Amino acid sequence: MDGTNGTYRSAPEPDAADGTRPAARTVPGRQPVPARWRRGRLIAVCAALVAALLALHPAVPNAGPRLGSLLETFLPWLALAVPVLLLAALLRRSATAAAATALPAAAWLVAFGPLLLPGGGARHDLVVVQHNVADDNPDPAGTARALADERPDLIALEEVTQDALPAYEKALRARYPHHAVVGTVALWSRHRMTDVAPVDIRPRAVDPGWNRGMRATVHTPHGELAVHVAHLPSIRLGVRGLRSADRDESAELLGAALAAEPIERLLLLGDLNGTLDDRGLRPLTSQLGAPGPGFAFSWPAGLPVARIDQVLARKSTVTGLSALPATGSDHLPIIARIRY
């Protein structure tokens, strides 16, 4: 009892004989939560955040630095977070964190699991190759021969310079009697082509001489096919984020051209400088079907981390995609099979 105010104070509990404090008391009738479920909550929160980014990436703002497009460009690589989080959970001996890693794993499989399915044996009617050959390609003839050796029906090329054009024409002439060139994009075909025309996809801020869109009607054994070849403006990554305004404007122009295309069956081949998850390409992806299995990362050729070279179809199906061996370009060629 404290003599100054007449209150009682309980004496502190003595330490145990070994110097440790007594174990925490438990409420009678209630089992204590094991420590393995109490630990690792921060890791679990990180796992939930990764899952949310995979599932809800369209909600990430895209104003200013284009963070949404930046995330969507490399979205499949969020899979790398799963083993890192799982290892952290094991080191922390946290059952809660280990269980939480199932969230991003499940979200990734929902988004990208279908791309892991085999697709090479699906029936197809046409084979096409898409390739940005690079304007500084040291061996255009060798690049052309490598593409022709795959025996596609169509070959679409971007960054075809006037100096390199004769080499491409000579190497492809024997197998591909029909071809057309508009600006720096070109199309070679085994089948007759008509109605070749430029497609204006030039953003307002780009030089008037910029010409990187075309269309042609290809008369295949299965019927007429409108083929568009396009090379959208490059995007730039800097301290202020992703600069994609010109690319996005060009995509809108191309989307309007596709919507106005009178032939129902359509193929779009090109270097779109964006992945199909990138919302900047929504004017195109909203009209065209997603391709079949295959990640087919095409850029950069030395260590591909994204597929920015695309083959998309309307009223047909791209049954599968794969990347071909490197040429003299900084992009890998993409081969696709098309079913009518």
Side-chain angles (χ1 to χ4, degrees):
M1 179 173 177
D2 188 335
T4 60
N5 56 17
T7 59
Y8 286 93
R9 291 181 179 174
S10 58
E13 295 184 9
D15 290 349
D18 59 359
T20 62
R21 304 293 290 177
R25 295 176 180 176
T26 60
V27 178
R30 181 181 299 175
Q31 295 296 323
V33 177
R36 65 179 181 273
W37 290 105
R38 298 197 304 269
R39 291 191 294 258
R41 292 177 181 175
L42 178 59
I43 301 171
V45 169
C46 291
L49 177 60
V50 173
L53 290 174
L54 281 162
L56 304 174
H57 59 88
V60 177
N62 210 36
R66 297 292 203 277
L67 293 179
S69 286
L70 179 60
L71 168 66
E72 289 157 348
T73 298
F74 302 105
L75 197 62
W77 294 99
L78 286 183
L80 296 178
V82 175
V84 173
L85 291 167
L86 183 58
L87 177 60
L90 294 175
L91 293 176
R92 192 74 176 86
R93 291 185 296 175
S94 168
T96 297
T101 59
L103 295 175
W108 191 92
L109 287 173
V110 169
F112 299 108
L115 298 181
L116 300 175
L117 300 174
R123 181 183 69 81
H124 60 272
D125 302 297
L126 287 178
V127 177
V128 303
V129 164
Q130 147 62 28
H131 191 27
N132 179 329
V133 293
D135 55 11
D136 59 352
N137 191 318
D139 185 16
T143 295
R145 287 192 295 269
L147 302 181
D149 285 345
E150 299 295 329
R151 300 186 179 277
D153 296 274
L154 301 172
I155 298 176
L157 303 182
E158 297 82 48
E159 294 197 14
V160 178
T161 66
Q162 289 301 309
D163 290 340
L165 179 58
Y168 290 114
E169 291 176 328
K170 182 179 180 180
L172 296 173
R173 184 180 300 127
R175 296 183 184 177
Y176 299 90
H178 311 282
H179 85 281
V181 182
V182 174
T184 57
V185 298
L187 179 66
W188 273 262
S189 173
R190 291 174 52 201
H191 311 295
R192 183 170 64 93
M193 294 195 304
T194 60
D195 303 324
V196 176
V199 177
D200 185 7
I201 59 172
R202 182 180 66 86
R204 288 163 294 182
V206 175
D207 183 87
W210 192 93
N211 192 355
R212 303 195 328 195
M214 67 167 286
R215 62 86 61 207
T217 301
V218 178
H219 300 268
T220 78
H222 310 282
E224 288 186 344
L225 179 68
V227 179
H228 286 245
V229 182
H231 184 190
L232 300 190
S234 299
I235 57 178
R236 295 288 184 264
L237 180 61
V239 293
R240 295 185 178 180
L242 196 70
R243 294 171 53 194
S244 64
D246 288 344
R247 192 279 312 271
D248 296 349
E249 183 182 350
S250 189
E252 290 179 0
L253 294 170
L254 180 55
L258 298 183
E261 173 61 56
I263 298 177
E264 279 197 338
R265 201 176 301 276
L266 178 151
L267 279 183
L268 171 60
L269 314 174
D271 174 4
L272 304 186
N273 271 305
T275 68
L276 297 186
D277 295 301
D278 188 335
R279 70 194 67 181
L281 298 186
R282 199 167 291 162
L284 310 176
T285 55
S286 63
Q287 300 184 57
L288 306 173
F295 280 98
F297 293 146
S298 64
W299 178 87
L303 184 64
V305 297
R307 186 176 80 242
I308 61 175
D309 297 271
Q310 309 294 351
V311 177
L312 301 172
R314 184 176 77 191
K315 298 297 184 180
S316 295
T317 303
V318 181
T319 61
L321 292 170
S322 57
L324 296 174
T327 65
S329 172
D330 57 341
H331 292 239
L332 295 180
I334 297 298
I335 189 169
R337 290 162 177 80
I338 313 297
R339 184 175 67 241
Y340 270 67

